[in-house]
Amino acid sequence: MVSKPPLDDQQSQPQQWDGSLRDPLVSHVEQGRSSAPERGPSARGVRNKGRIVYMRMPRLHGGELQKSIAELTYQSYIATLEERVRQLESEKAEWINRHGGAEISGRLAKRPRLATSPQSTPSPPPFPPASFDSGGSAAPNRPVIINEPPSYHSSLVAFDRSILPSAQHIHELLSHYFLYTNAAFPVFHIPTLQRQVDAVCFSDGPVPRNDIATVLLALAIGAASLSKISPLYTTLGSRAESLFHAAVDNAPCGPEMKRLDSLQMEVAHLIFVLYKPSCGNAWELAGSAARHATGMGLHCESEGEERTPLEQDMMRRLFWITYSIDVMTCAVTTRPPAISDHWVTTDVSDKCLANSLTSKLPSVYDDALITDTSVLSGDISPLKAASLQVYRLCRIQSEILTRLYTTKAPPPALWYDTMIGKLVQWRDTCPEGAGFANDDWQVLQYHATTSMLYRPSKAGPTPDRHATTTALTSSREVLKRSKDMYRMGLISFNWITMHTLFIQGMTYLHALVQARQNRWNLVPATVDVFLDIQACTSLMEGLAATTPGTLGLRNAFEAISEQIARYMMASSSQSWITPTPDPMIESAYPRARALDVFLTHPLAEMEEEDWDKKVDVVLCMLP
């Protein structure tokens, strides 16, 4: 290491780069020279065959002395870096001796360091993790490019396995994840996940950070998706959040992750938050994942790019999972999707499902048949078939949402017939439900989408009698089935469920008021109305307690439904029903528009005070 000369009678000049590939300021360290070059009491350093030789310099005064001090400070900075390099190399050698000796040292590749310019002294960059090459030899020296892509090899780290559940519980959580969440959102390639589980959970050595975070997220999702009636819920349900936080703490970042791996982690994070809303903001995470996917160009797959079959399939499934969750969150809030259908070049019609590879959809075959080299032939996986139906449904929902809420121009009647035809075809061709996308979920989504098609919207603010009848019937069916699924422990994604109950409840109340004011004989018995409202209110009461940010939804529905129930009761004794309504009589009664603020406009996230103001406006407009 270069020692500092006295400051009173000499200056130290920084060394200039001679064009070699190594930094001239640290070359003597890299070449194994442990001793510093000799020098006199007043010297200037120059290059001489890889060594630094010092020449006597004249005494400096004034501004020249200040400049000399600045340059000397820079030399001291370089000397400190050299000392740190030696310390790190010593620590690395000790680690190699403890974990395999010559076998590992033969495979370690040393990367050239960046040359440092004396005119600019940035802070030292973080030291890159050790990378391994396939040939077992050190990487050859090459010119350093500052903007070169970072290494994607995840560094090996020690992992405290005491935070893991028992081996039996690990298998039970992963089995539940595979059979439940994976049936709709196959975020992970199961054989790859199994190898990661073996390394993280059932070995003793250091493992890549990406493997640790992936396994912990899979376990966390498995625990978060446990039903309260499951025998595992008492033991493992409470561990979901601790596993999730451990995954976040161990997640790699920056140059340690490929972009596809980063998107996979982001989508897994989003799915966990949908199960556990207290651990994040589902709306923000869904938008971030959608932007990430489109930023990678996954929405418009280009031809001719060389990818392995496994990488290709993972890109497709991650895109469609991201797209589907984005549509789910937008459909219940009438907000614009982050991924526009006009930019998606993938067809999801029935004729494309037979050959998913050419139709740019994920493979319908079991994950065990999808490898880095080929996709083997075999039977269609029921779980994969169920996930494809989720993508098809969300494509229909996105088309309805985009057409009805981006323009005021009303669609022709033929468009409604076309959309309900697509929805009926989806329902009739759905395979047997599995896991998250079970049969009850399929029926509930059919009615929720039908209600979205016929309720008031920006393009159709005044639905006719047929549309109102259909919306009332479908929204009522959603409320009933939601109650049954809640009792069976099948309610998932509380944030989406709360918004679904609110929008379907408002659709139901709107149909009641509109039918009463227009004297349409389509309102159920008064006692049934009260039971339907009570079912929705009780469900929202239970879910709001565990879903942050949804108290405004619950309070708004309670206040508005109470006033409408009183209105229905006060007018129930009146003979207002006209079996054959007169068009002149119908036109004399204005249609209900008080609830349009919740049905035809995007539902924004509001503070409690804003909710109170909006509810007061609606209550003043109601009869």
Side-chain angles (χ1 to χ4, degrees):
M1 184 175 69
V2 180
S3 60
K4 294 190 297 183
L7 293 178
D8 57 348
D9 61 349
Q10 59 260 5
Q11 74 172 4
S12 175
Q13 294 287 348
Q15 298 304 303
Q16 300 297 323
W17 187 30
D18 60 2
S20 64
L21 299 182
R22 294 183 178 271
D23 188 342
L25 297 175
V26 297
S27 60
H28 68 284
V29 177
E30 294 180 353
Q31 294 172 13
R33 297 185 176 93
S34 58
S35 60
E38 299 177 355
R39 56 183 180 168
S42 178
R44 172 185 177 185
V46 296
R47 174 69 58 184
N48 184 7
K49 297 183 180 181
R51 300 178 61 86
I52 299 179
V53 182
Y54 289 86
M55 300 175 63
R56 187 171 301 275
M57 294 294 294
R59 185 183 301 272
L60 300 177
H61 302 279
E64 293 182 343
L65 179 60
Q66 295 297 327
K67 180 179 179 181
S68 175
I69 293 174
E71 293 173 341
L72 182 62
T73 302
Y74 168 75
Q75 287 284 18
S76 177
Y77 167 79
I78 294 299
T80 303
L81 283 185
E82 293 174 357
E83 181 65 21
R84 180 57 178 158
V85 168
R86 282 193 293 274
Q87 293 176 0
L88 291 175
E89 289 179 346
S90 176
E91 293 173 1
K92 182 178 69 175
E94 293 177 1
W95 186 89
I96 291 175
N97 292 333
R98 291 197 307 267
H99 297 85
E103 180 181 354
I104 294 180
S105 62
R107 293 161 40 208
L108 277 173
K110 182 184 298 182
R111 298 183 60 186
R113 301 183 180 90
L114 297 180
T116 307
S117 171
Q119 285 76 22
S120 174
T121 56
S123 58
F127 289 93
S131 58
F132 297 85
D133 61 7
S134 58
S137 58
N141 292 330
R142 52 187 171 83
V144 177
I145 303 175
I146 294 180
N147 295 323
E148 67 176 319
S151 171
Y152 289 125
H153 293 287
S154 186
S155 57
L156 299 177
V157 296
F159 175 56
D160 180 12
R161 292 169 173 81
S162 63
I163 67 173
L164 294 172
S166 65
Q168 179 182 355
H169 287 160
I170 289 174
H171 289 301
E172 289 173 337
L173 287 178
L174 292 176
S175 296
H176 179 71
Y177 163 79
F178 175 71
L179 296 174
Y180 190 76
T181 305
N182 184 73
F185 311 106
V187 179
F188 303 115
H189 180 248
I190 299 303
T192 301
L193 178 61
Q194 290 173 340
R195 290 193 293 270
Q196 292 172 318
V197 169
D198 291 339
V200 173
C201 302
F202 305 113
S203 69
D204 298 327
V207 288
R209 284 188 176 274
N210 184 65
D211 290 359
I212 298 174
T214 298
V215 171
L216 290 175
L217 271 176
L219 293 173
I221 293 173
S225 59
L226 289 172
S227 167
K228 292 184 178 180
I229 63 175
S230 169
L232 297 176
Y233 179 80
T234 304
T235 306
L236 299 175
S238 60
R239 302 199 61 176
E241 293 191 19
S242 62
L243 290 169
F244 167 73
H245 291 304
V248 173
D249 292 341
N250 286 278
C253 60
E256 292 188 60
M257 292 190 72
K258 293 182 180 179
R259 296 190 67 190
L260 190 62
D261 292 339
S262 178
L263 177 61
Q264 184 183 53
M265 299 292 264
E266 192 170 5
V267 173
H269 184 175
L270 167 61
I271 291 175
F272 178 84
V273 169
L274 287 170
Y275 281 120
K276 293 288 185 180
S278 60
C279 293
N281 188 308
W283 172 257
E284 292 180 358
L285 289 172
S288 175
R291 298 289 290 179
H292 194 163
T294 53
M296 293 176 62
L298 304 186
H299 64 292
C300 185
E301 187 176 314
S302 58
E303 302 292 343
E305 295 188 19
E306 295 184 2
R307 300 188 181 96
T308 66
L310 176 57
E311 183 182 14
Q312 186 75 68
D313 189 71
M314 289 304 303
M315 293 175 65
R316 290 169 177 171
R317 70 170 77 176
L318 286 176
F319 167 75
W320 281 108
I321 293 171
T322 304
Y323 173 90
S324 299
I325 295 179
D326 176 49
V327 172
M328 287 179 179
T329 57
C330 292
V332 296
T333 57
T334 62
R335 300 172 186 171
I339 303 177
S340 172
D341 286 343
H342 296 93
W343 291 84
V344 179
T345 59
T346 303
D347 188 7
V348 292
S349 59
D350 290 335
K351 63 183 180 181
C352 292
L353 298 181
N355 191 348
S356 60
L357 291 180
T358 58
S359 65
K360 300 180 182 179
L361 281 172
S363 172
V364 295
Y365 300 120
D366 189 85
D367 277 0
L369 302 175
I370 307 173
T371 68
D372 284 326
T373 57
S374 63
V375 177
L376 306 177
S377 59
D379 296 331
I380 293 178
S381 168
L383 299 181
K384 290 293 190 68
S387 66
L388 291 184
Q389 301 310 316
V390 176
Y391 310 152
R392 288 183 58 207
L393 172 67
C394 290
R395 193 68 188 265
I396 296 173
Q397 291 178 338
S398 180
E399 186 175 353
I400 294 173
L401 188 65
T402 302
R403 179 60 185 86
L404 294 181
Y405 290 92
T406 58
T407 178
K408 292 184 177 180
L414 181 61
W415 180 83
Y416 285 97
D417 295 338
T418 301
M419 295 312 301
I420 196 64
K422 290 182 178 181
L423 191 57
V424 170
Q425 184 185 32
W426 172 83
R427 180 196 62 186
D428 295 341
T429 57
C430 272
E432 183 178 358
F436 181 97
N438 52 63
D439 293 337
D440 294 295
W441 181 87
Q442 292 177 357
V443 175
L444 185 144
Q445 290 300 316
Y446 169 78
H447 288 291
T449 308
T450 302
S451 173
M452 180 174 67
L453 178 63
Y454 288 109
R455 68 177 179 238
S457 62
K458 185 177 180 180
T462 56
D464 57 17
R465 178 170 180 167
H466 167 72
T468 301
T469 303
T470 306
L472 185 145
T473 303
S474 294
S475 60
R476 188 184 185 198
E477 194 67 26
V478 170
L479 299 180
K480 286 184 176 181
R481 290 194 172 269
S482 295
K483 180 182 68 175
D484 295 339
M485 293 178 67
Y486 184 81
R487 289 178 175 176
M488 293 185 293
L490 298 178
I491 289 292
S492 301
F493 291 5
N494 288 0
W495 188 88
I496 291 179
T497 301
M498 275 293 292
H499 285 80
T500 298
L501 291 172
F502 179 80
I503 199 72
Q504 297 299 330
M506 287 298 175
T507 301
Y508 181 76
L509 295 177
H510 176 275
L512 292 178
V513 175
Q514 181 162 313
R516 178 61 59 95
Q517 291 188 343
N518 286 282
R519 301 188 178 185
W520 293 340
N521 186 15
L522 48 92
V523 181
T526 304
V527 64
D528 292 330
V529 171
F530 292 156
L531 291 175
D532 294 337
I533 293 177
Q534 191 258 348
C536 185
T537 303
S538 61
L539 283 176
M540 295 184 73
E541 181 71 29
L543 292 174
T546 58
T547 311
T550 59
L551 291 178
L553 299 174
R554 182 203 64 184
N555 296 339
F557 183 79
E558 283 184 351
I560 294 171
S561 62
E562 179 184 354
Q563 181 157 332
I564 291 178
R566 293 182 182 277
Y567 165 69
M568 298 288 294
M569 184 180 295
S571 59
S572 61
S573 59
Q574 302 177 9
S575 179
W576 59 272
I577 298 179
T578 305
T580 308
D582 188 339
M584 297 300 295
I585 296 178
E586 288 191 18
S587 62
Y589 292 87
R591 297 179 184 270
R593 301 295 302 272
L595 301 182
D596 284 4
V597 66
F598 298 121
L599 297 175
T600 64
H601 299 281
L603 186 62
E605 294 183 3
M606 297 178 287
E607 301 293 337
E608 183 177 357
E609 183 179 353
D610 298 327
W611 273 107
D612 292 340
K613 292 179 180 178
K614 184 160 289 191
V615 170
D616 289 341
V617 171
V618 173
L619 293 178
C620 292
M621 296 175 63
L622 285 173

